[in-house]
Amino acid sequence: MKLFAIAASVAALSGAALAAGMQTQPTSTTSAAAMPSSDMTVVSGSSAVKWGPGSPAFPAGMKMAVMTGDPASTGFISIRAKVPAGYKVPPHFHPTDEHVTVLSGTMAFGMGDTIDPKTEKTAGPGGYFVAQAQMHHYAVAKTASTIQIDLNGPFGITYVNSADDPRNKK
């Protein structure tokens, strides 16, 4: 019991110190306002996101917005995608790791060369999915959804079954 009381006191003091530190932020010689605008990208709200048609590398019906980076170049890339309920990205893989965050709606993600509802995992807002480079995976929108995809470029996608690749359809 005495050990618990000591631990609680230490936690309380640590919390108070952290709170005090949060109230007194160190000053910086370079404020955000003083930084050249080319050094930062700021989107003030979801209405400021510029949506366009999805990439031809994905099935029709997707809307996309490049948040930062150039999908054709090296470096960090962040892309958002809006998809309708029932939208599917058939089994595929990428040359680099892909990190997906569900911003709204419900998505199902699965591993393997075929879509298998028995083994896929669903994720709602705040859900996170990682597909390592070359990992065969797929995605299915259970409801209309918005996701964010973060990766190191250049972006690339290879479908497990080339007949699923929209770029091969005439």
Side-chain angles (χ1 to χ4, degrees):
M1 195 64 150
K2 186 174 182 180
L3 183 58
F4 176 78
I6 293 170
S9 297
V10 170
L13 290 173
S14 297
L18 179 60
M22 288 172 52
Q23 293 169 0
T24 317
Q25 295 296 321
T27 57
S28 171
T29 56
T30 306
S31 69
M35 293 175 67
S37 61
S38 63
D39 286 352
M40 69 168 74
T41 301
V42 176
V43 175
S44 61
S46 60
S47 63
V49 175
K50 293 182 178 22
W51 294 97
S55 163
F58 290 98
M62 174 187 285
K63 290 185 179 179
M64 295 182 88
V66 176
M67 303 305 289
T68 193
D70 176 357
S73 295
T74 58
F76 179 76
I77 301 161
S78 186
I79 300 168
R80 288 194 180 168
K82 283 185 182 183
V83 296
Y87 185 87
K88 295 178 183 177
V89 181
H92 63 279
F93 57 94
H94 307 282
T96 62
D97 294 355
E98 176 184 56
H99 300 257
V100 180
T101 303
V102 178
L103 302 178
S104 68
T106 302
M107 295 289 298
F109 301 100
M111 302 297 168
D113 292 346
T114 59
I115 293 177
D116 182 1
K118 292 181 213 147
T119 61
E120 64 193 23
K121 305 292 184 201
T122 58
Y128 182 73
F129 170 77
V130 177
Q132 295 174 343
Q134 309 303 320
M135 180 181 285
H136 294 194
H137 63 283
Y138 63 89
V140 178
K142 298 298 186 178
T143 67
S145 300
T146 302
I147 59 174
Q148 181 161 311
I149 305 140
D150 297 316
L151 62 127
N152 285 310
F155 175 81
I157 183 169
T158 303
Y159 288 89
V160 172
N161 180 351
S162 64
D164 289 335
D165 190 333
R167 297 167 291 191
N168 294 336
K169 297 181 180 174
K170 299 195 185 220

